[in-house]
Amino acid sequence: MTRPPNPAVYDVLDPRFADLIAPSEELHHLSDGSGWAEGPVYVAATRTLYWSDIPGDRVLRYDESTGVVAEHECPANHANGHTLDRDGVIVACEHGTRSVVRWWPDGRREVVADRFDGKRFNSPNDVVVSSDGSVWFTDPTYGIDSDEEGHAAESEIGGNHVFRVSPDGAVGPVITDMVQPNGLAFSLDERTLYVADTGATHVTDGPRHIRRFDVDLAAGDITGGGEVWATCPEGVFDGFRLDADGRIWASGRQGVHCYLPDGTLLGTVRLPEVCANVEWGGADRRTLYMTANTSLYSLRLAVGGPDR
Ligand code: MG
Protein backbone atom coordinates (compact mmCIF):
# COMPACT_ATOMS: atom_id res chain seq x y z
CA MET A 1 0.00 0.00 0.00
CA THR A 2 1.28 3.46 -0.82
CA ARG A 3 -0.11 6.40 1.00
CA PRO A 4 -0.03 9.94 -0.37
CA PRO A 5 3.11 11.91 0.51
CA ASN A 6 3.17 14.09 3.58
CA PRO A 7 5.20 17.22 4.14
CA ALA A 8 8.61 16.21 5.47
CA VAL A 9 9.34 17.54 8.95
CA TYR A 10 12.84 18.59 9.92
CA ASP A 11 14.55 19.83 13.07
CA VAL A 12 17.27 22.15 11.82
CA LEU A 13 19.77 22.52 14.65
CA ASP A 14 22.66 23.89 12.58
CA PRO A 15 22.37 26.11 9.49
CA ARG A 16 24.56 23.65 7.58
CA PHE A 17 21.69 21.14 7.71
CA ALA A 18 19.58 23.43 5.54
CA ASP A 19 21.98 22.84 2.62
CA LEU A 20 21.38 19.09 2.78
CA ILE A 21 17.61 18.97 2.78
CA ALA A 22 15.14 19.96 0.11
CA PRO A 23 12.25 21.62 1.97
CA SER A 24 9.84 21.18 -0.93
CA GLU A 25 10.35 17.41 -0.96
CA GLU A 26 7.73 15.25 0.66
CA LEU A 27 7.99 12.20 2.83
CA HIS A 28 6.73 9.15 0.95
CA HIS A 29 5.18 6.27 2.86
CA LEU A 30 5.90 3.33 0.58
CA SER A 31 4.87 0.30 2.61
CA ASP A 32 3.31 -0.66 5.90
CA GLY A 33 2.41 -3.89 7.67
CA SER A 34 5.88 -4.96 8.77
CA GLY A 35 6.41 -6.18 12.32
CA TRP A 36 9.80 -4.46 12.55
CA ALA A 37 11.30 -3.18 9.33
CA GLU A 38 15.10 -3.28 9.13
CA GLY A 39 18.09 -3.93 6.91
CA PRO A 40 17.42 -1.91 3.72
CA VAL A 41 19.80 -2.42 0.79
CA TYR A 42 19.56 -0.87 -2.67
CA VAL A 43 20.55 -2.66 -5.87
CA ALA A 44 21.16 -0.02 -8.51
CA ALA A 45 21.18 -2.40 -11.48
CA THR A 46 17.52 -3.24 -10.94
CA ARG A 47 16.54 -0.10 -9.01
CA THR A 48 15.27 -2.37 -6.24
CA LEU A 49 15.29 -1.75 -2.49
CA TYR A 50 15.20 -4.91 -0.37
CA TRP A 51 14.49 -4.87 3.35
CA SER A 52 13.69 -7.19 6.25
CA ASP A 53 10.52 -7.63 8.29
CA ILE A 54 12.24 -9.47 11.12
CA PRO A 55 9.25 -10.72 13.21
CA GLY A 56 7.30 -11.37 10.01
CA ASP A 57 10.20 -13.52 8.78
CA ARG A 58 10.08 -11.87 5.36
CA VAL A 59 12.29 -10.02 2.94
CA LEU A 60 10.33 -7.42 1.00
CA ARG A 61 11.26 -5.46 -2.08
CA TYR A 62 10.32 -2.09 -3.53
CA ASP A 63 10.66 -1.53 -7.26
CA GLU A 64 11.69 2.09 -7.67
CA SER A 65 10.65 2.16 -11.33
CA THR A 66 7.09 1.00 -10.81
CA GLY A 67 6.48 1.79 -7.13
CA VAL A 68 5.37 -1.79 -6.55
CA VAL A 69 6.06 -3.47 -3.19
CA ALA A 70 6.23 -7.26 -3.14
CA GLU A 71 7.24 -10.04 -0.80
CA HIS A 72 10.60 -11.30 -2.03
CA GLU A 73 11.03 -14.24 0.33
CA CYS A 74 9.04 -15.80 3.19
CA PRO A 75 10.20 -17.45 5.37
CA ALA A 76 13.51 -15.61 5.24
CA ASN A 77 15.50 -16.97 8.22
CA HIS A 78 14.53 -13.85 10.20
CA ALA A 79 16.94 -11.76 8.12
CA ASN A 80 18.09 -8.46 9.59
CA GLY A 81 20.84 -6.20 8.19
CA HIS A 82 21.95 -6.21 4.56
CA THR A 83 24.76 -4.68 2.55
CA LEU A 84 26.49 -5.22 -0.80
CA ASP A 85 29.90 -6.79 -1.26
CA ARG A 86 32.50 -5.45 -3.71
CA ASP A 87 30.84 -7.36 -6.57
CA GLY A 88 27.42 -5.90 -5.77
CA VAL A 89 26.16 -9.17 -4.27
CA ILE A 90 23.80 -8.89 -1.30
CA VAL A 91 25.23 -9.89 2.08
CA ALA A 92 22.66 -10.65 4.78
CA CYS A 93 22.61 -11.15 8.54
CA GLU A 94 20.22 -13.93 9.53
CA HIS A 95 18.94 -14.39 13.08
CA GLY A 96 17.27 -17.68 12.18
CA THR A 97 20.44 -19.41 10.97
CA ARG A 98 22.70 -17.35 13.26
CA SER A 99 24.88 -16.65 10.25
CA VAL A 100 26.00 -14.17 7.62
CA VAL A 101 25.24 -15.21 4.06
CA ARG A 102 25.41 -14.00 0.48
CA TRP A 103 22.33 -14.35 -1.67
CA TRP A 104 21.32 -13.61 -5.22
CA PRO A 105 17.83 -12.55 -6.33
CA ASP A 106 17.55 -15.80 -8.33
CA GLY A 107 17.69 -17.83 -5.12
CA ARG A 108 21.35 -18.88 -4.96
CA ARG A 109 22.95 -18.48 -1.55
CA GLU A 110 26.20 -19.26 0.25
CA VAL A 111 27.30 -18.99 3.87
CA VAL A 112 29.92 -16.33 4.64
CA ALA A 113 30.32 -17.33 8.31
CA ASP A 114 28.22 -19.14 10.88
CA ARG A 115 30.56 -19.72 13.83
CA PHE A 116 33.71 -18.69 15.60
CA ASP A 117 35.98 -21.20 17.29
CA GLY A 118 33.38 -23.92 16.77
CA LYS A 119 30.61 -21.93 18.48
CA ARG A 120 27.60 -20.54 16.65
CA PHE A 121 27.12 -16.77 16.59
CA ASN A 122 24.31 -15.21 18.66
CA SER A 123 22.30 -13.52 15.90
CA PRO A 124 24.21 -11.38 13.40
CA ASN A 125 22.52 -8.00 13.22
CA ASP A 126 24.20 -5.64 10.76
CA VAL A 127 27.06 -5.89 8.30
CA VAL A 128 29.50 -3.88 6.20
CA VAL A 129 32.08 -4.97 3.62
CA SER A 130 35.35 -3.06 3.37
CA SER A 131 37.25 -2.34 0.15
CA ASP A 132 39.55 -5.32 0.72
CA GLY A 133 36.55 -7.66 0.73
CA SER A 134 36.50 -8.42 4.44
CA VAL A 135 33.08 -8.65 6.09
CA TRP A 136 32.52 -6.89 9.43
CA PHE A 137 29.36 -7.59 11.41
CA THR A 138 27.81 -7.19 14.85
CA ASP A 139 26.50 -10.11 16.90
CA PRO A 140 24.12 -9.05 19.69
CA THR A 141 21.47 -11.35 21.21
CA TYR A 142 18.20 -9.94 19.80
CA GLY A 143 17.57 -13.00 17.63
CA ILE A 144 18.09 -15.54 20.43
CA ASP A 145 16.43 -13.63 23.30
CA SER A 146 13.01 -15.00 22.30
CA ASP A 147 11.17 -16.52 19.36
CA GLU A 148 9.97 -13.05 18.32
CA GLU A 149 12.91 -12.17 16.03
CA GLY A 150 14.47 -15.61 15.60
CA HIS A 151 14.71 -18.67 17.82
CA ALA A 152 15.23 -18.51 21.57
CA ALA A 153 18.59 -20.06 22.50
CA GLU A 154 21.59 -19.66 24.75
CA SER A 155 24.63 -17.74 23.58
CA GLU A 156 27.35 -20.22 22.67
CA ILE A 157 30.10 -17.61 22.43
CA GLY A 158 29.14 -16.02 25.75
CA GLY A 159 29.71 -12.45 24.56
CA ASN A 160 28.31 -9.92 22.12
CA HIS A 161 31.11 -8.99 19.78
CA VAL A 162 31.94 -7.34 16.48
CA PHE A 163 33.49 -9.90 14.14
CA ARG A 164 35.56 -9.70 10.97
CA VAL A 165 35.60 -12.34 8.26
CA SER A 166 38.74 -12.08 6.14
CA PRO A 167 38.57 -12.61 2.36
CA ASP A 168 39.91 -16.15 2.91
CA GLY A 169 37.11 -16.92 5.37
CA ALA A 170 38.98 -16.63 8.68
CA VAL A 171 36.71 -15.34 11.46
CA GLY A 172 37.83 -13.37 14.48
CA PRO A 173 36.43 -10.89 17.02
CA VAL A 174 37.65 -7.30 16.63
CA ILE A 175 35.60 -5.55 19.35
CA THR A 176 34.63 -7.41 22.52
CA ASP A 177 33.65 -4.71 25.03
CA MET A 178 30.16 -3.72 23.85
CA VAL A 179 26.83 -4.62 25.45
CA GLN A 180 24.69 -5.04 22.31
CA PRO A 181 26.65 -4.00 19.19
CA ASN A 182 24.25 -3.08 16.41
CA GLY A 183 24.59 -0.77 13.38
CA LEU A 184 28.06 -0.15 11.98
CA ALA A 185 29.75 1.77 9.16
CA PHE A 186 33.22 2.74 7.97
CA SER A 187 34.31 6.31 7.38
CA LEU A 188 34.89 7.07 3.70
CA ASP A 189 38.66 6.56 4.09
CA GLU A 190 38.02 3.34 6.05
CA ARG A 191 40.32 4.50 8.84
CA THR A 192 37.43 4.72 11.29
CA LEU A 193 34.74 2.20 12.17
CA TYR A 194 31.60 3.54 13.83
CA VAL A 195 29.57 1.02 15.86
CA ALA A 196 26.26 1.58 17.65
CA ASP A 197 25.67 -0.02 21.04
CA THR A 198 21.98 -0.52 21.88
CA GLY A 199 22.71 -2.02 25.29
CA ALA A 200 20.04 0.17 26.90
CA THR A 201 17.48 -2.39 25.68
CA HIS A 202 18.96 -4.90 28.14
CA VAL A 203 20.74 -2.88 30.84
CA THR A 204 19.27 -0.04 32.91
CA ASP A 205 21.03 3.16 31.85
CA GLY A 206 22.99 1.03 29.37
CA PRO A 207 24.61 2.30 26.18
CA ARG A 208 22.57 4.11 23.55
CA HIS A 209 25.46 5.58 21.66
CA ILE A 210 27.83 5.20 18.73
CA ARG A 211 31.53 4.64 19.39
CA ARG A 212 34.36 5.27 16.95
CA PHE A 213 37.35 2.97 16.53
CA ASP A 214 40.65 3.33 14.65
CA VAL A 215 41.02 0.73 11.91
CA ASP A 216 44.07 -0.72 10.21
CA LEU A 217 42.46 -2.32 7.20
CA ALA A 218 45.67 -4.02 6.02
CA ALA A 219 46.14 -5.58 9.44
CA GLY A 220 42.42 -6.42 9.58
CA ASP A 221 42.04 -5.09 13.07
CA ILE A 222 41.07 -2.28 15.39
CA THR A 223 44.15 -0.37 16.55
CA GLY A 224 42.72 2.15 18.99
CA GLY A 225 39.95 4.59 19.75
CA GLY A 226 36.68 3.27 21.14
CA GLU A 227 35.46 6.51 22.64
CA VAL A 228 31.77 7.44 22.62
CA TRP A 229 31.25 9.53 19.50
CA ALA A 230 27.55 10.47 19.87
CA THR A 231 24.68 9.62 22.22
CA CYS A 232 21.21 9.20 20.78
CA PRO A 233 18.94 12.19 21.53
CA GLU A 234 15.98 9.83 22.17
CA GLY A 235 15.87 6.05 22.27
CA VAL A 236 18.81 4.18 20.75
CA PHE A 237 20.77 4.46 17.53
CA ASP A 238 20.24 1.38 15.38
CA GLY A 239 21.49 1.28 11.78
CA PHE A 240 23.20 4.21 10.05
CA ARG A 241 25.02 5.12 6.84
CA LEU A 242 27.38 7.84 5.63
CA ASP A 243 26.65 10.31 2.85
CA ALA A 244 29.05 11.22 0.04
CA ASP A 245 30.73 13.86 2.23
CA GLY A 246 31.20 11.60 5.25
CA ARG A 247 28.27 12.83 7.35
CA ILE A 248 26.45 10.15 9.30
CA TRP A 249 22.69 9.62 9.01
CA ALA A 250 21.69 7.59 12.05
CA SER A 251 18.34 6.06 12.92
CA GLY A 252 16.68 6.69 16.29
CA ARG A 253 13.33 7.03 18.00
CA GLN A 254 12.61 10.44 16.47
CA GLY A 255 13.65 9.56 12.94
CA VAL A 256 17.06 10.09 11.32
CA HIS A 257 19.78 12.25 12.89
CA CYS A 258 22.45 13.82 10.69
CA TYR A 259 25.94 14.28 12.19
CA LEU A 260 29.24 15.72 11.05
CA PRO A 261 32.22 13.37 11.46
CA ASP A 262 33.25 15.43 14.53
CA GLY A 263 29.99 14.45 16.25
CA THR A 264 28.10 17.72 15.71
CA LEU A 265 24.36 17.04 15.32
CA LEU A 266 23.17 19.11 12.36
CA GLY A 267 19.51 18.17 12.38
CA THR A 268 16.88 15.47 12.30
CA VAL A 269 14.46 14.12 9.72
CA ARG A 270 11.35 13.50 11.83
CA LEU A 271 9.41 10.32 11.16
CA PRO A 272 6.03 9.21 12.53
CA GLU A 273 7.60 5.90 13.65
CA VAL A 274 10.79 4.69 15.34
CA CYS A 275 13.49 4.36 12.69
CA ALA A 276 15.72 1.27 12.58
CA ASN A 277 17.94 1.81 9.54
CA VAL A 278 18.59 3.82 6.39
CA GLU A 279 19.91 3.31 2.87
CA TRP A 280 20.67 5.48 -0.16
CA GLY A 281 18.92 4.84 -3.44
CA GLY A 282 17.77 6.48 -6.63
CA ALA A 283 19.70 6.80 -9.88
CA ASP A 284 21.59 9.75 -8.34
CA ARG A 285 21.74 8.13 -4.86
CA ARG A 286 19.91 11.13 -3.34
CA THR A 287 16.89 9.15 -2.15
CA LEU A 288 17.09 8.29 1.56
CA TYR A 289 15.15 5.10 2.31
CA MET A 290 14.18 4.61 5.94
CA THR A 291 12.87 1.43 7.55
CA ALA A 292 10.81 2.47 10.55
CA ASN A 293 8.82 0.05 12.71
CA THR A 294 5.96 -1.05 10.42
CA SER A 295 6.92 1.00 7.39
CA LEU A 296 9.27 1.95 4.59
CA TYR A 297 9.64 5.67 3.91
CA SER A 298 11.62 7.63 1.34
CA LEU A 299 12.73 11.21 1.09
CA ARG A 300 14.66 13.05 -1.61
CA LEU A 301 17.61 15.05 -0.24
CA ALA A 302 20.12 17.54 -1.65
CA VAL A 303 22.94 15.18 -0.67
CA GLY A 304 23.33 11.52 -1.49
CA GLY A 305 25.19 8.36 -0.67
CA PRO A 306 28.80 7.65 -1.64
CA ASP A 307 29.52 5.87 -4.92
CA ARG A 308 29.60 2.12 -4.61
MG1 MG B 1 20.20 -3.28 13.72
Side-chain angles (χ1 to χ4, degrees):
M1 185 190 89
T2 304
R3 286 187 201 151
N6 297 310
V9 179
Y10 306 97
D11 294 338
V12 179
L13 304 176
D14 183 299
R16 288 170 285 187
F17 192 54
D19 297 333
L20 310 178
I21 60 180
S24 62
E25 292 290 347
E26 291 172 311
L27 180 69
H28 294 265
H29 185 217
L30 304 175
S31 167
D32 62 11
S34 287
W36 180 249
E38 245 282 14
V41 66
Y42 181 77
V43 177
T46 56
R47 295 191 64 188
T48 303
L49 188 285
Y50 296 90
W51 76 99
S52 305
D53 170 7
I54 306 175
D57 199 10
R58 305 184 292 168
V59 169
L60 300 164
R61 66 170 186 258
Y62 169 71
D63 184 325
E64 202 172 63
S65 308
T66 63
V68 172
V69 170
E71 201 171 83
H72 179 71
E73 192 169 35
C74 181
N77 298 323
H78 293 280
N80 189 339
H82 292 95
T83 193
L84 299 179
D85 71 11
R86 290 178 305 171
D87 300 321
V89 178
I90 291 172
V91 178
C93 292
E94 294 183 346
H95 291 181
T97 61
R98 300 171 71 164
S99 64
V100 178
V101 304
R102 280 187 181 84
W103 61 257
W104 288 258
D106 64 9
R108 280 178 296 151
R109 70 183 253 128
E110 66 183 32
V111 175
V112 174
D114 62 359
R115 62 196 65 219
F116 166 64
D117 206 15
K119 303 180 180 86
R120 288 194 295 167
F121 299 124
N122 299 324
S123 50
N125 188 290
D126 216 340
V127 59
V128 287
V129 178
S130 55
S131 60
D132 67 350
S134 54
V135 178
W136 304 60
F137 68 93
T138 55
D139 188 38
T141 62
Y142 296 102
I144 57 171
D145 288 337
S146 71
D147 292 325
E148 176 74 9
E149 297 194 353
H151 310 296
E154 293 295 315
S155 173
E156 297 183 11
I157 289 171
N160 306 335
H161 306 325
V162 181
F163 287 95
R164 172 183 178 272
V165 186
S166 69
D168 66 6
V171 180
V174 288
I175 301 170
T176 58
D177 67 344
M178 302 189 92
V179 181
Q180 295 282 2
N182 204 315
L184 76 173
F186 284 103
S187 60
L188 298 184
D189 64 9
E190 297 184 304
R191 290 181 177 175
T192 300
L193 180 67
Y194 300 94
V195 188
D197 192 335
T198 48
T201 58
H202 283 62
V203 178
T204 304
D205 296 326
R208 47 190 197 83
H209 54 227
I210 293 172
R211 291 165 62 190
R212 62 170 304 286
F213 297 85
D214 302 327
V215 177
D216 182 339
L217 210 58
D221 209 353
I222 301 296
T223 55
E227 66 273 18
V228 172
W229 171 79
T231 298
C232 196
E234 259 188 47
V236 295
F237 292 121
D238 199 330
F240 54 94
R241 279 192 161 97
L242 274 67
D243 68 25
D245 301 316
R247 299 176 203 91
I248 286 142
W249 297 74
S251 64
R253 181 180 294 168
Q254 296 166 311
V256 180
H257 307 290
C258 176
Y259 291 87
L260 292 178
D262 69 6
T264 303
L265 177 58
L266 297 181
T268 299
V269 177
R270 288 267 185 178
L271 292 181
E273 300 180 78
V274 177
C275 188
N277 217 326
V278 302
E279 167 67 317
W280 300 103
D284 57 6
R285 297 190 59 72
R286 287 198 291 111
T287 300
L288 184 67
Y289 287 104
M290 299 163 279
T291 50
N293 193 6
T294 65
S295 299
L296 175 69
Y297 295 91
S298 74
L299 179 63
R300 295 282 294 162
L301 293 173
V303 64
D307 289 336
R308 273 194 161 130

Short mmCIF file of all heavy atoms in Angstrom, two decimals, residues 174-199:
data_model
loop_
_atom_site.label_atom_id
_atom_site.label_comp_id
_atom_site.label_asym_id
_atom_site.label_seq_id
_atom_site.Cartn_x
_atom_site.Cartn_y
_atom_site.Cartn_z
N VAL A 174 36.84 -8.52 16.67
CA VAL A 174 37.65 -7.30 16.63
C VAL A 174 37.27 -6.31 17.72
O VAL A 174 38.07 -5.47 18.10
CB VAL A 174 37.57 -6.61 15.25
CG1 VAL A 174 38.35 -7.42 14.20
CG2 VAL A 174 36.14 -6.40 14.80
N ILE A 175 36.04 -6.39 18.23
CA ILE A 175 35.60 -5.55 19.35
C ILE A 175 34.82 -6.46 20.31
O ILE A 175 33.88 -7.14 19.89
CB ILE A 175 34.70 -4.39 18.88
CG1 ILE A 175 35.45 -3.49 17.88
CG2 ILE A 175 34.22 -3.55 20.08
CD1 ILE A 175 34.56 -2.47 17.18
N THR A 176 35.22 -6.45 21.57
CA THR A 176 34.63 -7.41 22.52
C THR A 176 34.11 -6.73 23.78
O THR A 176 33.76 -7.41 24.75
CB THR A 176 35.66 -8.48 22.93
OG1 THR A 176 36.80 -7.82 23.51
CG2 THR A 176 36.12 -9.30 21.74
N ASP A 177 34.04 -5.39 23.78
CA ASP A 177 33.65 -4.71 25.03
C ASP A 177 32.33 -3.93 24.88
O ASP A 177 32.13 -2.93 25.53
CB ASP A 177 34.77 -3.77 25.49
CG ASP A 177 34.99 -2.60 24.54
OD1 ASP A 177 34.49 -2.67 23.39
OD2 ASP A 177 35.65 -1.63 24.94
N MET A 178 31.45 -4.40 24.01
CA MET A 178 30.16 -3.72 23.85
C MET A 178 29.07 -4.56 24.51
O MET A 178 29.23 -5.77 24.72
CB MET A 178 29.87 -3.49 22.37
CG MET A 178 30.96 -2.66 21.68
SD MET A 178 30.54 -2.15 20.00
CE MET A 178 29.80 -0.55 20.30
N VAL A 179 27.95 -3.91 24.82
CA VAL A 179 26.83 -4.62 25.45
C VAL A 179 25.97 -5.28 24.37
O VAL A 179 25.76 -6.50 24.39
CB VAL A 179 25.99 -3.66 26.33
CG1 VAL A 179 24.83 -4.41 26.99
CG2 VAL A 179 26.88 -3.01 27.40
N GLN A 180 25.47 -4.50 23.43
CA GLN A 180 24.69 -5.04 22.31
C GLN A 180 25.11 -4.29 21.04
O GLN A 180 24.46 -3.33 20.62
CB GLN A 180 23.18 -4.86 22.54
CG GLN A 180 22.61 -5.65 23.72
CD GLN A 180 22.41 -7.13 23.41
OE1 GLN A 180 22.72 -7.62 22.33
NE2 GLN A 180 21.89 -7.86 24.39
N PRO A 181 26.23 -4.69 20.42
CA PRO A 181 26.65 -4.00 19.19
C PRO A 181 25.59 -4.15 18.11
O PRO A 181 24.98 -5.21 17.97
CB PRO A 181 27.95 -4.72 18.82
CG PRO A 181 27.87 -6.06 19.48
CD PRO A 181 27.06 -5.85 20.74
N ASN A 182 25.39 -3.08 17.34
CA ASN A 182 24.25 -3.08 16.41
C ASN A 182 24.68 -2.51 15.06
O ASN A 182 25.48 -3.12 14.37
CB ASN A 182 23.09 -2.35 17.09
CG ASN A 182 21.75 -2.75 16.53
OD1 ASN A 182 21.57 -2.84 15.33
ND2 ASN A 182 20.78 -3.00 17.40
N GLY A 183 24.20 -1.33 14.68
CA GLY A 183 24.59 -0.77 13.38
C GLY A 183 26.08 -0.46 13.33
O GLY A 183 26.70 -0.21 14.37
N LEU A 184 26.64 -0.48 12.11
CA LEU A 184 28.06 -0.15 11.98
C LEU A 184 28.33 0.38 10.58
O LEU A 184 27.59 0.08 9.64
CB LEU A 184 28.96 -1.33 12.30
CG LEU A 184 29.13 -2.49 11.30
CD1 LEU A 184 30.21 -3.45 11.82
CD2 LEU A 184 27.85 -3.23 11.04
N ALA A 185 29.38 1.20 10.46
CA ALA A 185 29.75 1.77 9.16
C ALA A 185 31.19 2.25 9.23
O ALA A 185 31.65 2.70 10.29
CB ALA A 185 28.84 2.93 8.78
N PHE A 186 31.88 2.18 8.09
CA PHE A 186 33.22 2.74 7.97
C PHE A 186 33.13 4.20 7.54
O PHE A 186 32.22 4.58 6.79
CB PHE A 186 34.03 1.99 6.91
CG PHE A 186 34.53 0.65 7.36
CD1 PHE A 186 33.91 -0.51 6.93
CD2 PHE A 186 35.63 0.56 8.21
CE1 PHE A 186 34.39 -1.75 7.34
CE2 PHE A 186 36.11 -0.68 8.61
CZ PHE A 186 35.48 -1.84 8.19
N SER A 187 34.13 5.00 7.97
CA SER A 187 34.31 6.31 7.38
C SER A 187 34.70 6.12 5.91
O SER A 187 35.07 5.03 5.49
CB SER A 187 35.41 7.08 8.13
OG SER A 187 36.64 6.36 8.05
N LEU A 188 34.63 7.20 5.14
CA LEU A 188 34.89 7.07 3.70
C LEU A 188 36.33 6.62 3.43
O LEU A 188 36.58 5.89 2.46
CB LEU A 188 34.61 8.40 2.99
CG LEU A 188 33.16 8.90 3.08
CD1 LEU A 188 33.00 10.17 2.25
CD2 LEU A 188 32.16 7.84 2.62
N ASP A 189 37.27 7.00 4.28
CA ASP A 189 38.66 6.56 4.09
C ASP A 189 38.94 5.22 4.77
O ASP A 189 40.08 4.73 4.72
CB ASP A 189 39.65 7.63 4.57
CG ASP A 189 39.56 7.90 6.07
OD1 ASP A 189 38.85 7.15 6.78
OD2 ASP A 189 40.21 8.86 6.53
N GLU A 190 37.95 4.65 5.39
CA GLU A 190 38.02 3.34 6.05
C GLU A 190 39.08 3.31 7.17
O GLU A 190 39.58 2.25 7.51
CB GLU A 190 38.29 2.22 5.03
CG GLU A 190 37.17 2.07 4.02
CD GLU A 190 37.38 0.90 3.07
OE1 GLU A 190 38.45 0.88 2.42
OE2 GLU A 190 36.51 0.02 2.99
N ARG A 191 39.40 4.47 7.70
CA ARG A 191 40.32 4.50 8.84
C ARG A 191 39.57 4.50 10.17
O ARG A 191 40.18 4.40 11.24
CB ARG A 191 41.22 5.73 8.77
CG ARG A 191 42.23 5.66 7.65
CD ARG A 191 43.10 6.88 7.63
NE ARG A 191 44.12 6.80 6.59
CZ ARG A 191 44.97 7.78 6.31
NH1 ARG A 191 44.92 8.91 6.98
NH2 ARG A 191 45.85 7.64 5.34
N THR A 192 38.26 4.68 10.10
CA THR A 192 37.43 4.72 11.29
C THR A 192 36.25 3.77 11.11
O THR A 192 35.66 3.72 10.02
CB THR A 192 36.89 6.14 11.53
OG1 THR A 192 37.98 7.03 11.70
CG2 THR A 192 35.99 6.21 12.75
N LEU A 193 35.95 3.02 12.16
CA LEU A 193 34.74 2.20 12.17
C LEU A 193 33.83 2.74 13.26
O LEU A 193 34.25 2.87 14.42
CB LEU A 193 35.08 0.73 12.45
CG LEU A 193 33.87 -0.23 12.49
CD1 LEU A 193 33.23 -0.36 11.12
CD2 LEU A 193 34.29 -1.61 13.02
N TYR A 194 32.61 3.09 12.88
CA TYR A 194 31.60 3.54 13.83
C TYR A 194 30.70 2.34 14.16
O TYR A 194 30.27 1.62 13.25
CB TYR A 194 30.72 4.64 13.22
CG TYR A 194 31.46 5.88 12.81
CD1 TYR A 194 31.91 6.05 11.49
CD2 TYR A 194 31.70 6.92 13.72
CE1 TYR A 194 32.58 7.21 11.10
CE2 TYR A 194 32.36 8.08 13.33
CZ TYR A 194 32.79 8.21 12.01
OH TYR A 194 33.45 9.35 11.63
N VAL A 195 30.42 2.14 15.45
CA VAL A 195 29.57 1.02 15.86
C VAL A 195 28.57 1.50 16.91
O VAL A 195 28.96 2.10 17.92
CB VAL A 195 30.38 -0.15 16.45
CG1 VAL A 195 29.47 -1.36 16.68
CG2 VAL A 195 31.55 -0.53 15.55
N ALA A 196 27.30 1.24 16.68
CA ALA A 196 26.26 1.58 17.65
C ALA A 196 26.18 0.49 18.71
O ALA A 196 26.32 -0.70 18.41
CB ALA A 196 24.91 1.72 16.95
N ASP A 197 25.94 0.91 19.94
CA ASP A 197 25.67 -0.02 21.04
C ASP A 197 24.28 0.28 21.57
O ASP A 197 24.03 1.38 22.07
CB ASP A 197 26.73 0.11 22.13
CG ASP A 197 26.68 -1.03 23.15
OD1 ASP A 197 25.59 -1.64 23.32
OD2 ASP A 197 27.71 -1.30 23.79
N THR A 198 23.37 -0.69 21.43
CA THR A 198 21.98 -0.52 21.88
C THR A 198 21.75 -1.24 23.21
O THR A 198 20.66 -1.73 23.49
CB THR A 198 21.01 -1.04 20.81
OG1 THR A 198 21.42 -2.35 20.37
CG2 THR A 198 20.98 -0.13 19.60
N GLY A 199 22.78 -1.29 24.02
CA GLY A 199 22.71 -2.02 25.29
C GLY A 199 21.62 -1.55 26.23
O GLY A 199 21.21 -2.30 27.14
#
